[in-house]
Amino acid sequence: MIIVMDKGVSQKNLNHLVEVVEKAGLKAHIIKGTSKTIIGVIGNANKLDKDSINALDFVEKIMPIQKPYKRASREVHPDNTVVDVKGIKFGSDDLVMIAGPCSVESEDQMFEIANALKKMGVKVFRSSAYKPRTSPYAFQGLGEKGLKIIDKVRKETGLIVETEVMDPRNVEVAAKYVDILRIGARNTQNFDLLKEVGKTNKPVILKNGIATTVEEWLFAAEYIMNEGNNNVILCERGIRTFEPLTRNTLNLSVIPILKKLTHLPIIVDPCHAAGTRGPIPALSKAAIAVGADGLMVEVHNDPEHALSDQSQQLKIKEFETMYADLKKIGLAVGRKFV
Ligand code: PEP
Ligand code: MN
């Protein structure tokens, strides 16, 4: 249920309502929007006396929440959520580019790529210290050693850094070294991991699973938000279809659909969908044209010799050309890369 009030409602009245909700054993999720203040009631709203709430003079109306996910639903939060990471605003009018290698391999590799990207104006640097590999014999990532390299890049370049977490036991240490945590496609429904990142104060990039529905994906976001962390950035990374010519199929139709269903920002990773470099510039342009709030792109100084995803990481020069083109697409849809 949603309780809608004018945005000028007093703190005393708001506290009173929160108390009523919590006394009934339910959770109150307060959202202060541009024109309204809303309390999203999480739990069985039948436990509340709706008539007496409706009778309060500062309550405009009460409405049921139609969607099964509550906190992630636009019904509860009509305005876009803007996830602000050190001044970079995901979900605002700005477009955000996240770029960097698939894996942390060495300090030299990381600094070479980070410095080149920084020169081009990229503000957010991606790289994984923990690697979800299909084969247990493939490179598994540098773990904490990799996190320390990421941290060194952050300190020396001033770039915002992010990394994937796969194991609830590594969330705390990763949160020490990075600005944004990422949940990859293989862990979209790892509920213990979602709860763990929900307990941190770090923004979370949440990818779709290769076979999750939009509703399952939003439920995954709900797990994170339920722990008190509302800074969730959705990232479309392709779904598994029957088509073998691409690694996965980039599902750009989810962008307008998600924009309607949720207030959360949504970015696109074209690389893990495509699986090869060729389609990445065209897919990236399409993602911005269709309304994505940004992109996550893999860039490597020597992709042919990378320790993971050799065929889909863009060369630095290729990225530079693509980024210049993307800025034009951004302007055509009234948005600008920061
Ligand atoms: C990644 O971004 O490094 C990654 C492993 O992607 P995904 O989880 O989408 O497969
Ligand atoms: Mn990769």
Side-chain angles (χ1 to χ4, degrees):
M1 187 176 92
I2 314 170
I3 306 168
V4 183
M5 293 151 285
D6 188 74
K7 94 167 206 250
V9 62
S10 72
Q11 195 58 42
K12 187 167 159 251
N13 287 338
L14 203 55
N15 291 346
H16 168 69
L17 259 186
V18 169
E19 204 176 302
V20 169
V21 170
E22 289 178 349
K23 262 200 181 139
L26 308 170
K27 283 189 183 167
H29 181 54
I30 300 169
I31 299 117
K32 295 190 173 171
T34 43
S35 62
K36 304 285 173 201
T37 293
I38 291 170
I39 294 181
V41 177
I42 316 293
N44 181 1
N46 288 333
K47 291 186 186 160
L48 290 173
D49 177 355
K50 296 193 185 85
D51 291 339
S52 62
I53 293 176
N54 236 339
L56 295 166
D57 58 0
F58 57 91
V59 170
E60 285 183 11
K61 59 181 170 184
I62 59 177
M63 285 157 49
I65 307 175
Q66 309 285 351
K67 297 286 185 258
Y69 42 85
K70 312 287 177 195
R71 297 174 195 270
S73 171
R74 207 180 261 287
E75 294 167 288
V76 172
H77 195 297
D79 295 334
N80 286 337
T81 281
V82 174
V83 177
D84 187 330
V85 192
K86 296 178 166 173
I88 298 296
K89 297 184 170 70
F90 291 85
S92 66
D93 286 341
D94 297 338
L95 293 169
V96 183
M97 173 61 78
I98 305 175
C102 179
S103 302
V104 184
E105 297 171 11
S106 70
E107 218 174 283
D108 287 351
Q109 167 242 16
M110 287 281 279
F111 274 98
E112 189 174 337
I113 303 166
N115 286 327
L117 292 172
K118 187 181 170 184
K119 243 192 197 158
M120 295 175 211
V122 171
K123 305 284 187 310
V124 190
F125 186 57
R126 70 145 282 148
S127 58
S128 302
Y130 300 105
K131 292 306 303 171
R133 303 310 298 279
T134 303
S135 163
Y137 308 117
F139 174 63
Q140 302 287 308
L142 297 183
E144 192 166 350
K145 187 174 158 217
L147 293 176
K148 287 184 177 155
I149 298 175
I150 298 174
D151 188 39
K152 194 164 178 197
V153 171
R154 163 165 74 171
K155 288 191 176 124
E156 292 188 18
T157 63
L159 288 165
I160 291 166
V161 296
E162 65 84 69
T163 207
E164 175 168 358
V165 280
M166 300 200 300
D167 184 327
R169 291 168 297 187
N170 292 334
V171 168
E172 200 181 330
V173 64
K176 273 203 320 205
Y177 294 116
V178 300
D179 305 300
I180 307 172
L181 298 169
R182 169 167 28 100
I183 302 290
R186 290 153 194 81
N187 282 305
T188 309
Q189 291 186 294
N190 181 340
F191 303 119
D192 287 337
L193 180 62
L194 298 174
K195 285 189 230 167
E196 206 60 31
V197 296
K199 287 181 194 138
T200 71
N201 60 1
K202 298 287 173 180
V204 178
I205 294 173
L206 174 65
K207 291 191 171 191
N208 63 294
I210 57 171
T212 48
T213 62
V214 167
E215 192 168 293
E216 286 164 345
W217 189 7
L218 290 173
F219 269 129
E222 194 85 3
Y223 266 99
I224 299 170
M225 298 170 89
N226 252 334
E227 299 298 324
N229 187 348
N230 294 316
N231 289 321
V232 177
I233 301 160
L234 301 170
C235 178
E236 160 59 31
R237 53 80 68 212
I239 51 175
R240 180 167 282 179
T241 68
F242 54 82
E243 178 52 66
L245 291 181
T246 50
R247 181 174 174 181
N248 292 113
T249 298
L250 188 63
N251 184 11
L252 286 182
S253 48
V254 292
I255 310 295
I257 289 169
L258 282 168
K259 283 285 169 197
K260 220 169 153 196
L261 294 178
T262 182
H263 49 90
L264 297 172
I266 166 135
I267 62 171
V268 169
D269 167 0
C271 301
H272 291 87
T276 53
R277 280 184 273 288
I280 292 169
L283 292 176
S284 301
K285 286 182 212 165
I288 297 305
V290 85
D293 297 307
L295 288 160
M296 174 185 281
V297 178
E298 288 190 333
V299 183
H300 199 283
N301 53 337
D302 183 11
E304 281 94 354
H305 297 101
L307 297 181
S308 57
D309 287 346
Q310 290 94 342
S311 52
Q312 71 187 38
Q313 303 201 59
L314 291 183
K315 296 176 182 169
I316 290 173
K317 269 273 159 233
E318 289 172 330
F319 176 79
E320 192 168 20
T321 307
M322 178 181 93
Y323 194 28
D325 286 346
L326 286 173
K327 288 179 183 165
K328 294 179 209 153
I329 303 285
L331 292 177
V333 294
R335 302 177 82 176
K336 208 165 174 254
F337 278 95
V338 289

